[in-house]
């Protein structure tokens, strides 16, 4: 079995559903992950959400613009 936990005040805190018998022998495999600050995520998201010069009815008639079908 495998559980993911966090370190709090020098102790390993496991999720509530992690039930281990008292005195169980365990192995700790450490994988440190640094999470990107929310500001970095927001900057990357803004790069994707730039204004485009698409027609105003693009959502309704995307088949027309992409595949040449008649407009709705």
């Amino acid at each position: 079995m495998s559980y993911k936990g966090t370190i709090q005040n020098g102790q390993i805190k496991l999720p509530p559903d992690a039930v281990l018998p008292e005195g169980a022998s365990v192995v700790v495999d450490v994988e440190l992950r640094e999470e990107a600050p929310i500001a970095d995520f927001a900057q990357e998201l803004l790069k994707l959400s730039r204004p485009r010069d698409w027609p105003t009815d693009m959502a309704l008639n995307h088949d027309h613009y992409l595949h040449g079908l008649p407009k709705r």
Side-chain angles (χ1 to χ4, degrees):
M1 70 187 103
S2 176
Y3 297 105
K4 290 188 178 186
T6 58
I7 302 294
Q8 293 177 353
N9 296 324
Q11 296 182 352
I12 299 171
K13 298 295 182 179
L14 297 174
D17 64 333
V19 179
L20 301 172
E22 188 65 32
S25 178
V26 297
V27 175
V28 178
D29 183 14
V30 178
E31 180 182 332
L32 297 177
R33 296 183 184 179
E34 290 186 29
E35 296 189 20
I38 192 70
D40 292 344
F41 172 75
Q43 289 297 324
E44 292 300 315
L45 191 59
L46 283 174
K47 290 178 187 176
L48 297 174
S49 63
R50 66 184 186 277
R52 303 193 186 331
D53 56 347
W54 290 345
T56 56
D57 63 343
M58 180 66 174
L60 179 63
N61 291 304
H62 65 279
D63 284 333
H64 168 73
Y65 294 109
L66 295 176
H67 308 293
L69 296 176
K71 283 188 174 186
R72 292 183 178 195

